[in-house]
């Protein structure tokens, strides 16, 4: 167990926000979590679990004990007739896992390529992109309880996944450390190409050969190209991905909005509700490319707030609040933030 005092957190959050952790402990195994739980002072102190810091907005220094999860390892657990089961340490890079599975010949995660962050953070917000969510490929995960130090395995039901949501944002927030995640990659592999931008790529591929079918690697490259064209790379421009969730409304609410804004981008959901494109609404309110202090709205995608250089958390939240107000004023919809605000 490695303990640091006064740890600078700027390198550990993709938005690049300045903050200091009073105490930071690097967790490389379940045993490290147990050592924290059994420690005379750390054991009773409040704790905060930090993964890749890709979905977090730091607005202040952290008095809690920050547990930085660095559990590594990638392995095939089982090759079943109906699926490959793979396991990854929570500290592994998510994109690294996607590329490793593809290189090993276990397809299924290609639509989720290039999502920033760690494997351990992926179930917390039930990451999703281009028609696939983590829960569609989820088998189980291991957690260590921060009160008892005991390891247990949770299945899909126990994780209560929702749209960018799970039990780890709710009842289990701050109570467990996720140490390993297992994914189920169905056999035979079936590509998921229903998303408009992937349909376009498929049409391009089939323009020369009507029967051509993309491989999983090909789809991963398409997804990487699509994301790269409109989402900022956190290594170059600080950001936390989508800053707001796409709001889900009733068909009546949607009809009402369409009556006033016929162009609004919306998607009917299987349960009859309708998802509205928050990026479109923010765009419609004129926010694209705007800046407040050192925080800004990305000029190629209005759902993404970015660090123009030296932003602090409160500036980001001021900008977010102003966006929420103008979207509420025009559409009567209150946008919910997607990253964890600390
Ligand atoms: N749009 C605009 N202006 C903008 C941005 C978007 O008009 O500035 C409209 C466009 O019509 C576009 C539509 O909104 O077609 C939807 O945009 P996009 O396809 O980029 O998807 P999104 O709904 O904004 C969601 C996820 C992303 C994920 C993409 C692709 C959420 C909160 N975000 O974004 O996830 O990559 O779909 O599946 O659900 C993330 O969570 O951090 C993230 C990047």
């Amino acid at each position: 167990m490695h303990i640091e005092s006064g740890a600078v957190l700027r390198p550990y959050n993709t938005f690049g926000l300045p903050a200091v952790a009073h105490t930071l402990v690097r967790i490389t195994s379940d045993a490290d979590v147990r050592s924290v739980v059994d420690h005379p002072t750390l054991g009773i102190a409040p704790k905060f679990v930090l993964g890749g810091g890709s979905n977090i907005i730091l607005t202040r220094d952290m008095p809690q004990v920050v547990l930085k999860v660095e559990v590594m390892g990638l392995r095939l657990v089982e090759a079943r007739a109906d699926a490959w089961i793979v396991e990854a340490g929570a500290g592994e890079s998510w994109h690294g896992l996607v590329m490793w599975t593809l290189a090993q010949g276990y397809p299924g995660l290609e639509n989720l390529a290039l999502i920033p962050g760690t494997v351990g953070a992926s179930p917390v917000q039930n990451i999703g992109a281009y028609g696939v969510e983590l829960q569609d490929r989820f088998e189980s995960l291991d957690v260590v309880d921060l009160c008892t130090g005991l390891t247990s395995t949770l299945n899909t039901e126990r994780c209560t996944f929702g749209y960018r949501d799970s039990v780890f944002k709710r009842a289990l927030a701050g109570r467990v450390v996720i140490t390993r995640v297992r994914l189920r990659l169905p056999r035979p592999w079936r590509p998921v190409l229903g998303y408009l931008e992937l349909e376009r790529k498929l049409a391009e591929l089939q323009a020369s050969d009507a029967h051509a079918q993309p491989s999983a690697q090909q789809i991963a490259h398409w997804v990487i190209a699509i994301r790269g064209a409109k989402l900022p790379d956190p290594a170059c421009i600080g950001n936390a991905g989508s800053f707001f969730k796409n709001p889900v409304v009733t068909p009546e609410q949607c009809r009402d909005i369409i009556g006033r804004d016929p162009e609004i981008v919306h998607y009917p959901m299987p349960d009859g509700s309708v998802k509205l494109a928050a990026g479109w609404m923010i765009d419609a309110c004129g926010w694209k490319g705007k800046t407040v202090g050192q925080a800004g709205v990305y000029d190629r995608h209005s759902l993404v707030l970015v660090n123009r250089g030296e932003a602090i958390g409160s500036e980001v939240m001021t900008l977010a609040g102003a966006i929420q107000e103008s979207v509420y004023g025009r559409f009567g919809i209150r946008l919910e933030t997607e990253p964890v605000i600390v």
Side-chain angles (χ1 to χ4, degrees):
M1 183 170 69
H2 182 82
I3 306 174
E4 288 166 43
S5 297
V8 171
L9 295 178
R10 194 172 174 168
Y12 301 148
N13 71 101
T14 60
F15 216 109
L17 297 169
V20 171
H22 181 268
T23 308
L24 183 138
V25 182
R26 290 174 196 277
I27 301 293
T28 58
S29 63
D30 291 27
D32 279 348
V33 185
R34 282 194 289 281
S35 304
V36 170
V37 171
D38 293 340
H39 191 277
T41 51
L42 299 180
I44 53 171
K47 304 184 186 56
F48 182 86
V49 182
L50 182 67
S54 64
N55 200 44
I56 186 175
I57 299 299
L58 296 172
T59 62
R60 56 179 175 83
D61 289 340
M62 303 199 63
Q64 306 97 316
V65 174
V66 173
L67 303 178
K68 187 164 185 306
V69 182
E70 297 181 349
V71 179
M72 306 312 277
L74 297 170
R75 69 183 182 107
L76 178 71
V77 177
E78 201 184 344
R80 296 200 311 235
D82 64 340
W84 290 279
I85 309 296
V86 296
E87 181 183 86
E92 293 283 350
S93 128
W94 172 263
H95 179 66
L97 165 66
V98 173
M99 299 317 277
W100 177 81
T101 53
L102 292 172
Q104 300 295 311
Y106 318 135
L109 298 179
E110 54 284 348
N111 293 45
L112 302 175
L114 212 62
I115 295 183
T118 54
V119 167
S122 64
V124 177
Q125 52 156 335
N126 185 20
I127 57 171
Y130 309 105
V132 177
E133 281 187 324
L134 181 92
Q135 72 178 98
D136 304 324
R137 302 285 181 267
F138 183 80
E139 173 74 5
S140 64
L141 56 74
D142 295 340
V143 292
V144 187
D145 188 298
L146 280 170
C147 286
T148 63
L150 293 175
T151 296
S152 53
T153 298
L154 307 187
N155 60 14
T156 307
E157 218 167 59
R158 298 273 309 277
C159 294
T160 52
F161 292 118
Y163 166 53
R164 293 298 191 277
D165 197 26
S166 73
V167 72
F168 308 105
K169 276 190 166 182
R170 296 174 183 271
L172 291 184
R175 294 182 51 192
V176 295
V177 178
I178 297 169
T179 50
R180 280 169 300 281
V181 177
R182 281 170 293 277
L183 299 162
R184 182 172 23 83
L185 310 176
R187 298 169 80 173
W189 171 71
R190 283 196 188 84
V192 179
L193 295 166
Y195 202 89
L196 184 66
E197 284 159 298
L198 291 177
E199 276 177 2
R200 278 196 201 122
K201 295 276 188 192
L202 182 64
E204 278 169 30
L205 177 76
Q206 292 183 337
S208 48
D209 171 1
H211 300 291
Q213 286 301 324
S215 65
Q217 301 255 10
Q218 173 77 73
I219 295 169
H221 287 123
W222 288 347
V223 168
I224 290 168
I226 294 166
R227 289 185 78 92
K230 63 178 181 182
L231 296 172
D233 176 357
C236 308
I237 304 173
N239 76 91
S242 300
F243 202 89
F244 300 100
K245 293 185 189 184
N246 285 324
V248 178
V249 299
T250 63
E252 294 73 35
Q253 275 176 298
C254 187
R255 268 198 297 278
D256 178 47
I257 296 174
I258 290 174
R260 285 174 283 132
D261 282 284
E263 307 280 283
I264 191 162
V265 177
H266 60 285
Y267 315 94
M269 304 298 287
D271 65 358
S273 60
V274 183
K275 204 180 250 188
L276 305 176
W280 185 91
M281 292 194 278
I282 297 168
D283 216 357
C285 291
W287 281 103
K288 190 173 269 180
K290 292 277 165 63
T291 299
V292 168
Q294 292 281 305
V297 180
Y298 190 50
D299 47 15
R300 276 185 267 163
H301 202 299
S302 297
L303 199 51
V304 181
L305 303 193
V306 293
N307 189 342
R308 301 259 188 242
E310 299 290 323
I312 56 172
S314 56
E315 279 173 330
V316 179
M317 295 315 294
T318 301
L319 173 60
I323 293 171
Q324 281 168 317
E325 288 219 351
S326 62
V327 168
Y328 186 73
R330 173 156 173 190
F331 299 101
I333 302 277
R334 181 134 325 259
L335 292 182
E336 236 182 273
T337 52
E338 207 261 298
V340 176
I341 316 292
V342 181

